[in-house]
Amino acid sequence: MKTTTRTIAVAAIVGTAAATAISVPATAATEVDAPLLMPYYTDLDLTGDAQVTTVDLDVAAAAIGTVSTDAAWSEVSVIDVDEDGEITVVDIAGLSQRMVYDDGPFDLIEADVIEMQAAMNAGVTTSVEITQAYLDRIAAYDTVAQGEGERALNSIINTSDVALDAAAAADAERAAEGMTSMLLGVPIALKDNYNTYDMPTTAGCGCWDDNQTDSDATMVEGLRDAGAVILAKASLDEFAYGFRSEFSAYQDAGESTYIASPYFTNETAGGSSGGTGAAIAANLAGIGFGTDTGGSIRVPSSYNALVGIRPTVGLSSRDGIVPLALSQDTGGPMARSVLDAAVALDATIGIDDGDPITANQAGLTPESYTASLDPEALDGARIGYIPVMVDPSSAGSSGDATTIRLFDQTVATMEAEGATVVELEQPEWFLDLVNEQSGSTDEFRHDLEEYVDAYLAPEVTARTIPEIVESGRFVTSRERTYNTRAAITEEQYEAWAGPEGSHTTILAQGKIDMHALLDEYDLDAIMYPSGTPYGTQWRNLRLSPNTGMPTVTLPMGQSIEGEDLPGANVNIEILGRDYDEETILGLAYSFEQATEYRTTPALYPALD
């Protein structure tokens, strides 16, 4: 993870502060609203507002000379960072590093939310400037090939006409109230199956170019409430069908376009959230959101060296998102760091009447997922793996040398960080679980009709699958797939996804069996490769959708000379118990901090 130096004029504060009595502001005794920050930026707080600010520095400066035998020691002992029993300038310097404040130069490339907030808090930049910089990068890079033989990314379908207004509002809020949220003023790109009131929701299909909804998806409401700037809608594999990332939105009938990976532009960005993957990897937005039914967050995250979260089904509302198969659909963040992904997740969870399954999370979610981001989380953890998911040759599939090497390297790293990695005996029921197919065929027609009835703009004439095909404005090579899904009857749907349906039963039992496996071996999580260099791995991607359990995927390294596509990324995926995103995010963060495998695509440098 890239870091910057956070600076503050400590000497000036120390020089003017009285070194006599310690006075803690009255706000420390009352409940106050504050951004949800990771522990590094809160655990030395002296004033009770859950953040370190100049007020804390004033209190600390007044405490210089206080020693452990003084009566006032208990009020300031938390900032004795060098543990010498006395508050000194060294402790104040240590405290100042915990401020979200940086008056040094700001670099947009690979900037995380802490770096953005620190620079905006210090007045070095503004949300308007950051938003405009991303818009400039989109204009310069997204539809323009960056060299002979390279393809354009084609990762963005639309940019918002009100993004700069939202950024200006965020800047005004910061000026009036300070940093009210970790997402305040941060530009976000959404997969274009999330409803937004300011941009059409095409689901990647030319047949829905005019689908301007009058409301946001519930998850988007959460992002806007947190002060995020909704910057753009990212392209996707049409209707989230597959991993090719081919779409027809805003193109003539019969035409379609592929999304390119910014690392190897002749390779796909993965799918179905390929536009989100390419855009965030190429630094065209701060954080992205995708959806995942059978791998659509995790595949583009692996191809594009990103962190992706597929949350527990029921953690984030799907209301206002164009569905593929609601038995397995979920939305989640895609980001350049675990920190960014955790901050984004915070803003998008909650119980929502529009998606009744979210009621299951009651009492099971933390105040902030950033609280679990401990660089030492691997120390003492127990993580299991099932060998066939690493090398599927025992199941009749070929193993990938790069993936096997990187997994072995991952095991070594985790063990060096204090984790116990356990090879599990493959359960008898396991193959039946991962062999269960996606619901995208048997559920799409039924679930799409519910979206159409609730949200599709009246101007859109293609309101059924046959009408989509009749329009001619779709990825025409998939006509057979559309017709197959249109032919699924309501009886077939009920037999598959109804309360007693075969698919429903298998998913419910899979959840029980996987939780029992974790308990049997006393495991915190199970891990496995998300794929291979620009490919998928066996049936690994089905484990999370077929149980509804959460996963975090993040880079575990790249291919090397002598292997296919040297430099291509592969991700490790960490699966945990229902609603235990805290644990797997902590493990992912610890691994990320120990390795820093995220890379930046060279074709998309800073603009002059």
Side-chain angles (χ1 to χ4, degrees):
M1 178 184 293
K2 182 170 68 70
T3 58
T4 60
T5 303
R6 315 204 191 286
T7 58
I8 186 73
V10 178
I13 294 174
V14 173
T16 58
T20 52
I22 301 170
S23 177
V24 178
T27 55
T30 60
E31 189 76 21
V32 295
D33 291 329
L36 300 174
L37 294 165
M38 59 190 298
Y40 182 82
Y41 298 99
T42 62
D43 60 10
L44 299 188
D45 172 40
L46 289 171
T47 58
D49 64 353
Q51 57 185 318
V52 176
T53 68
T54 55
V55 180
D56 296 279
L57 292 176
D58 289 339
V59 174
I64 284 183
T66 304
V67 297
S68 58
T69 56
D70 292 342
W73 181 253
S74 61
E75 297 179 24
V76 293
S77 60
V78 67
I79 66 166
D80 182 22
V81 294
D82 59 1
E83 298 181 342
D84 67 350
E86 181 180 1
I87 303 304
T88 66
V89 173
V90 172
D91 300 312
I92 296 178
L95 178 65
S96 73
Q97 293 175 358
R98 306 302 181 96
M99 290 179 62
V100 182
Y101 184 104
D102 189 350
D103 57 5
F106 174 68
D107 183 3
L108 185 73
I109 304 300
E110 298 294 306
D112 64 22
V113 291
I114 292 291
E115 290 162 344
M116 291 185 197
Q117 295 300 341
M120 289 189 285
N121 288 345
V124 171
T125 190
T126 65
S127 177
V128 168
E129 290 173 349
I130 292 173
T131 300
Q132 185 62 61
Y134 280 131
L135 290 170
D136 291 345
R137 288 182 62 79
I138 290 169
Y141 287 141
D142 192 54
T143 59
V144 181
Q146 301 302 305
E148 186 177 352
E150 305 289 352
R151 289 194 298 143
L153 293 177
N154 295 308
S155 68
I156 299 296
I157 285 182
N158 263 316
T159 56
S160 172
D161 292 336
V162 300
L164 288 170
D165 293 336
D171 288 334
E173 181 172 328
R174 188 183 306 274
E177 304 177 46
M179 184 180 66
T180 55
S181 161
M182 281 305 297
L183 286 178
L184 181 64
V186 174
I188 305 288
L190 304 168
K191 184 177 183 179
D192 197 19
N193 57 355
Y194 284 76
N195 283 356
T196 51
Y197 73 81
D198 54 334
M199 290 174 281
T201 301
T202 71
C205 188
C207 62
W208 279 17
D209 285 351
D210 297 325
N211 183 30
Q212 179 58 69
T213 62
D214 58 8
S215 62
D216 288 329
T218 300
M219 289 177 66
V220 180
E221 290 178 355
L223 291 167
R224 291 199 205 266
D225 287 346
V229 174
I230 305 304
L231 176 75
K233 301 294 279 293
S235 48
L236 66 153
D237 196 82
E238 188 172 273
F239 282 109
Y241 270 14
F243 299 153
R244 293 169 60 185
S245 278
E246 184 180 5
F247 66 98
S248 63
Y250 300 107
Q251 297 169 71
D252 293 336
E255 294 185 357
S256 59
T257 298
Y258 287 97
I259 308 164
S261 168
Y263 296 91
F264 296 87
T265 64
N266 288 315
E267 299 287 341
T268 176
S272 61
S273 310
T276 305
I280 302 308
N283 287 276
L284 304 188
I287 299 172
F289 274 81
T291 59
D292 190 307
T293 305
S296 292
I297 286 173
R298 294 162 294 151
V299 170
S301 293
S302 187
Y303 289 10
N304 298 292
L306 297 175
V307 176
I309 302 176
R310 179 189 156 88
T312 307
V313 175
L315 184 66
S316 298
S317 172
R318 286 87 51 88
D319 192 37
I321 299 175
V322 181
L324 179 59
L326 286 174
S327 67
Q328 297 167 307
D329 284 353
T330 187
M334 299 167 65
R336 294 181 292 267
S337 69
V338 176
L339 167 64
D340 284 1
V343 168
L345 185 63
D346 276 344
T348 55
I349 70 171
I351 298 172
D352 176 27
D353 291 341
D355 188 0
I357 196 174
T358 58
N360 293 342
Q361 70 184 264
L364 300 176
T365 58
E367 182 181 9
S368 172
Y369 289 103
T370 65
S372 65
L373 304 187
D374 180 359
E376 298 181 0
L378 282 168
D379 191 8
R382 287 178 55 83
I383 305 172
Y385 71 94
I386 298 172
V388 70
M389 303 183 79
V390 179
D391 182 359
S393 58
S394 63
S397 298
S398 59
D400 180 79
T402 299
T403 298
I404 293 170
R405 176 182 60 81
L406 292 175
F407 184 84
D408 290 344
Q409 180 177 292
T410 295
V411 170
T413 298
M414 290 186 170
E415 290 179 338
E417 293 298 310
T420 299
V421 178
V422 183
E423 180 178 322
L424 308 181
E425 183 178 345
Q426 183 173 307
E428 293 182 0
W429 45 264
F430 185 71
L431 288 180
D432 288 338
L433 175 62
V434 295
N435 281 333
E436 176 69 2
Q437 298 297 313
S438 165
S440 57
T441 295
D442 289 351
E443 297 173 53
F444 180 66
R445 180 199 57 78
H446 174 277
D447 294 346
L448 187 69
E449 287 175 357
E450 291 190 349
Y451 174 90
V452 168
D453 290 344
Y455 293 112
L456 192 66
E459 293 82 5
V460 179
T461 57
R463 309 184 73 82
T464 66
I465 298 176
E467 288 170 346
I468 290 171
V469 173
E470 184 179 352
S471 76
R473 301 194 63 219
F474 67 103
V475 176
T476 53
S477 63
R478 300 180 184 177
E479 182 172 353
R480 183 174 179 179
T481 299
Y482 277 102
N483 290 335
T484 298
R485 294 178 180 188
I488 299 296
T489 66
E490 194 63 18
E491 290 75 20
Q492 287 174 296
Y493 167 82
E494 286 294 331
W496 170 266
E500 306 300 324
S502 60
H503 187 63
T504 304
T505 301
I506 288 174
L507 269 57
Q509 187 60 48
K511 184 185 295 289
I512 292 169
D513 290 339
M514 281 303 300
H515 280 84
L517 183 66
L518 287 165
D519 292 342
E520 177 186 350
Y521 286 90
D522 190 25
L523 300 174
D524 296 290
I526 287 174
M527 67 176 180
Y528 45 89
S530 286
T532 64
Y534 290 99
T536 58
Q537 169 102 333
W538 193 58
R539 298 170 180 81
N540 291 12
L541 294 169
R542 295 181 186 172
L543 186 57
S544 176
N546 287 358
T547 60
M549 296 163 70
T551 62
V552 177
T553 182
L554 75 159
M556 67 172 176
Q558 291 80 40
S559 57
I560 58 177
E561 291 297 329
E563 297 175 345
D564 292 340
L565 287 175
N569 185 77
V570 181
N571 273 17
I572 188 71
E573 191 165 327
I574 304 172
L575 177 141
R577 293 173 174 82
D578 276 1
Y579 301 105
D580 192 19
E581 280 80 359
E582 290 173 281
T583 293
I584 59 176
L585 281 167
L587 297 174
Y589 182 78
S590 183
F591 180 72
E592 175 192 57
Q593 297 305 295
T595 58
E596 298 184 334
Y597 285 133
R598 161 74 189 161
T599 61
T600 307
L603 287 173
Y604 308 93
L607 297 176
D608 294 333

